[in-house]
Short mmCIF file of all heavy atoms in Angstrom, two decimals:
data_model
loop_
_atom_site.label_atom_id
_atom_site.label_comp_id
_atom_site.label_asym_id
_atom_site.label_seq_id
_atom_site.Cartn_x
_atom_site.Cartn_y
_atom_site.Cartn_z
N VAL E 1 60.63 149.95 127.82
CA VAL E 1 59.64 150.03 128.90
C VAL E 1 59.67 148.74 129.72
O VAL E 1 59.63 148.77 130.95
CB VAL E 1 58.23 150.30 128.34
CG1 VAL E 1 57.16 150.07 129.42
CG2 VAL E 1 58.12 151.73 127.83
N GLN E 2 59.74 147.61 129.04
CA GLN E 2 59.78 146.34 129.76
C GLN E 2 61.05 146.21 130.60
O GLN E 2 61.00 145.74 131.75
CB GLN E 2 59.70 145.17 128.77
CG GLN E 2 59.62 143.80 129.43
CD GLN E 2 58.47 143.68 130.43
OE1 GLN E 2 57.39 144.21 130.20
NE2 GLN E 2 58.71 143.02 131.55
N ARG E 3 62.18 146.66 130.07
CA ARG E 3 63.42 146.63 130.85
C ARG E 3 63.31 147.55 132.07
O ARG E 3 63.78 147.21 133.16
CB ARG E 3 64.61 147.06 129.98
CG ARG E 3 65.11 145.96 129.05
CD ARG E 3 66.12 146.45 128.05
NE ARG E 3 67.14 147.30 128.64
CZ ARG E 3 68.00 148.01 127.92
NH1 ARG E 3 67.94 148.00 126.60
NH2 ARG E 3 68.92 148.75 128.50
N LEU E 4 62.69 148.71 131.88
CA LEU E 4 62.52 149.64 132.99
C LEU E 4 61.60 149.04 134.05
O LEU E 4 61.86 149.17 135.26
CB LEU E 4 61.96 150.96 132.46
CG LEU E 4 61.76 152.08 133.49
CD1 LEU E 4 63.09 152.45 134.16
CD2 LEU E 4 61.15 153.31 132.81
N ARG E 5 60.55 148.37 133.62
CA ARG E 5 59.63 147.74 134.57
C ARG E 5 60.33 146.72 135.45
O ARG E 5 60.04 146.60 136.65
CB ARG E 5 58.50 147.05 133.81
CG ARG E 5 57.37 147.96 133.36
CD ARG E 5 56.44 147.19 132.47
NE ARG E 5 55.18 147.90 132.25
CZ ARG E 5 54.38 147.67 131.21
NH1 ARG E 5 54.71 146.75 130.31
NH2 ARG E 5 53.24 148.33 131.09
N THR E 6 61.24 145.94 134.88
CA THR E 6 61.92 144.92 135.68
C THR E 6 62.77 145.55 136.78
O THR E 6 63.07 144.89 137.78
CB THR E 6 62.82 144.04 134.79
OG1 THR E 6 63.88 144.83 134.22
CG2 THR E 6 62.02 143.38 133.69
N LYS E 7 63.12 146.82 136.62
CA LYS E 7 63.99 147.48 137.60
C LYS E 7 63.21 148.30 138.63
O LYS E 7 63.64 148.39 139.78
CB LYS E 7 65.01 148.37 136.87
CG LYS E 7 65.97 147.60 135.98
CD LYS E 7 67.00 148.50 135.33
CE LYS E 7 67.98 147.69 134.49
NZ LYS E 7 69.04 148.54 133.90
N ILE E 8 62.10 148.89 138.21
CA ILE E 8 61.37 149.76 139.14
C ILE E 8 60.06 149.13 139.61
O ILE E 8 59.37 149.71 140.45
CB ILE E 8 61.08 151.14 138.52
CG1 ILE E 8 60.09 151.02 137.36
CG2 ILE E 8 62.38 151.81 138.07
CD1 ILE E 8 59.59 152.37 136.84
N GLY E 9 59.71 147.95 139.07
CA GLY E 9 58.48 147.29 139.47
C GLY E 9 57.52 147.19 138.30
O GLY E 9 57.20 148.20 137.67
N GLN E 10 57.06 145.97 138.01
CA GLN E 10 56.16 145.77 136.88
C GLN E 10 54.89 146.58 137.01
O GLN E 10 54.31 147.02 136.00
CB GLN E 10 55.82 144.26 136.77
CG GLN E 10 56.99 143.37 136.41
CD GLN E 10 57.42 143.53 134.96
OE1 GLN E 10 56.68 144.06 134.14
NE2 GLN E 10 58.63 143.08 134.65
N GLU E 11 54.44 146.79 138.24
CA GLU E 11 53.17 147.47 138.46
C GLU E 11 53.27 148.99 138.34
O GLU E 11 52.25 149.68 138.33
CB GLU E 11 52.63 147.11 139.85
CG GLU E 11 53.34 147.81 141.02
CD GLU E 11 54.76 147.33 141.27
OE1 GLU E 11 55.13 146.27 140.73
OE2 GLU E 11 55.50 148.02 141.99
N ARG E 12 54.48 149.51 138.24
CA ARG E 12 54.65 150.97 138.28
C ARG E 12 54.25 151.64 136.97
O ARG E 12 53.83 152.80 136.96
CB ARG E 12 56.12 151.28 138.62
CG ARG E 12 56.44 152.75 138.87
CD ARG E 12 55.61 153.37 139.94
NE ARG E 12 55.66 152.64 141.20
CZ ARG E 12 54.79 152.81 142.17
NH1 ARG E 12 53.79 153.64 142.01
NH2 ARG E 12 54.89 152.12 143.29
N ILE E 13 54.39 150.94 135.83
CA ILE E 13 54.04 151.51 134.53
C ILE E 13 52.90 150.70 133.93
O ILE E 13 53.02 149.49 133.74
CB ILE E 13 55.25 151.52 133.57
CG1 ILE E 13 56.40 152.35 134.15
CG2 ILE E 13 54.84 152.06 132.20
CD1 ILE E 13 57.66 152.30 133.33
N ASP E 14 51.81 151.37 133.63
CA ASP E 14 50.64 150.72 133.04
C ASP E 14 50.67 150.83 131.52
O ASP E 14 51.09 151.85 130.96
CB ASP E 14 49.34 151.38 133.53
CG ASP E 14 49.05 151.05 134.99
OD1 ASP E 14 49.47 149.98 135.45
OD2 ASP E 14 48.38 151.87 135.65
N THR E 15 50.22 149.76 130.86
CA THR E 15 50.00 149.79 129.41
C THR E 15 48.55 150.18 129.15
O THR E 15 47.64 149.59 129.72
CB THR E 15 50.27 148.41 128.79
OG1 THR E 15 51.63 148.04 129.04
CG2 THR E 15 50.03 148.44 127.29
N VAL E 16 48.36 151.17 128.31
CA VAL E 16 47.02 151.57 127.89
C VAL E 16 46.89 151.17 126.42
O VAL E 16 47.43 151.84 125.53
CB VAL E 16 46.79 153.09 128.07
CG1 VAL E 16 45.37 153.47 127.66
CG2 VAL E 16 47.06 153.50 129.52
N ARG E 17 46.24 150.07 126.18
CA ARG E 17 46.20 149.48 124.85
C ARG E 17 45.68 150.46 123.80
O ARG E 17 44.66 151.12 123.99
CB ARG E 17 45.32 148.22 124.84
CG ARG E 17 45.90 147.08 125.66
CD ARG E 17 45.12 145.80 125.46
NE ARG E 17 45.68 144.72 126.27
CZ ARG E 17 46.72 143.99 125.91
NH1 ARG E 17 47.33 144.23 124.78
NH2 ARG E 17 47.17 143.02 126.70
N GLY E 18 46.44 150.53 122.72
CA GLY E 18 46.07 151.40 121.62
C GLY E 18 46.52 152.83 121.78
O GLY E 18 46.38 153.64 120.85
N PHE E 19 47.09 153.17 122.97
CA PHE E 19 47.48 154.56 123.21
C PHE E 19 48.95 154.69 123.65
O PHE E 19 49.69 155.49 123.10
CB PHE E 19 46.58 155.19 124.28
CG PHE E 19 45.16 155.34 123.82
CD1 PHE E 19 44.22 154.39 124.11
CD2 PHE E 19 44.78 156.46 123.07
CE1 PHE E 19 42.91 154.50 123.69
CE2 PHE E 19 43.47 156.59 122.64
CZ PHE E 19 42.53 155.61 122.94
N GLY E 20 49.38 153.92 124.64
CA GLY E 20 50.74 154.06 125.10
C GLY E 20 50.94 153.56 126.51
O GLY E 20 50.36 152.55 126.92
N TYR E 21 51.68 154.31 127.29
CA TYR E 21 52.02 153.92 128.66
C TYR E 21 51.83 155.11 129.61
O TYR E 21 51.89 156.28 129.18
CB TYR E 21 53.47 153.47 128.76
CG TYR E 21 53.82 152.29 127.89
CD1 TYR E 21 54.45 152.46 126.66
CD2 TYR E 21 53.56 150.98 128.31
CE1 TYR E 21 54.78 151.38 125.86
CE2 TYR E 21 53.91 149.90 127.53
CZ TYR E 21 54.52 150.10 126.30
OH TYR E 21 54.85 149.01 125.53
N LYS E 22 51.65 154.79 130.89
CA LYS E 22 51.60 155.86 131.89
C LYS E 22 52.20 155.38 133.19
O LYS E 22 52.15 154.18 133.53
CB LYS E 22 50.16 156.34 132.12
CG LYS E 22 49.24 155.31 132.78
CD LYS E 22 47.86 155.89 133.03
CE LYS E 22 46.93 154.87 133.69
NZ LYS E 22 45.59 155.43 133.95
N LEU E 23 52.81 156.30 133.91
CA LEU E 23 53.37 156.02 135.23
C LEU E 23 52.27 156.22 136.27
O LEU E 23 51.59 157.24 136.29
CB LEU E 23 54.54 156.97 135.52
CG LEU E 23 55.25 156.78 136.86
CD1 LEU E 23 56.07 155.49 136.87
CD2 LEU E 23 56.16 157.99 137.14
N ARG E 24 52.13 155.23 137.15
CA ARG E 24 51.16 155.37 138.22
C ARG E 24 51.58 156.47 139.19
O ARG E 24 52.70 156.47 139.67
CB ARG E 24 51.00 154.06 138.98
CG ARG E 24 50.31 152.96 138.18
CD ARG E 24 49.99 151.77 139.05
NE ARG E 24 49.37 150.68 138.28
CZ ARG E 24 48.98 149.54 138.81
NH1 ARG E 24 49.12 149.33 140.11
NH2 ARG E 24 48.44 148.61 138.06
N GLY E 25 50.68 157.39 139.47
CA GLY E 25 51.00 158.48 140.36
C GLY E 25 50.99 158.06 141.82
O GLY E 25 50.58 156.98 142.17
#
């Protein structure tokens, strides 16, 4: 996920603590 963020934008994928990740719509 971190590698993907560096390529598509750190702000594009949010971390939801205790649950996982989500893509900003």
Side-chain angles (χ1 to χ4, degrees):
V1 167
Q2 185 55 38
R3 281 171 47 191
L4 182 60
R5 279 172 167 158
T6 64
K7 296 182 178 183
I8 67 171
Q10 294 288 342
E11 75 290 345
R12 187 56 54 196
I13 300 174
D14 288 332
T15 300
V16 182
R17 293 189 181 277
F19 294 94
Y21 300 99
K22 67 177 180 179
L23 181 71
R24 290 189 182 181

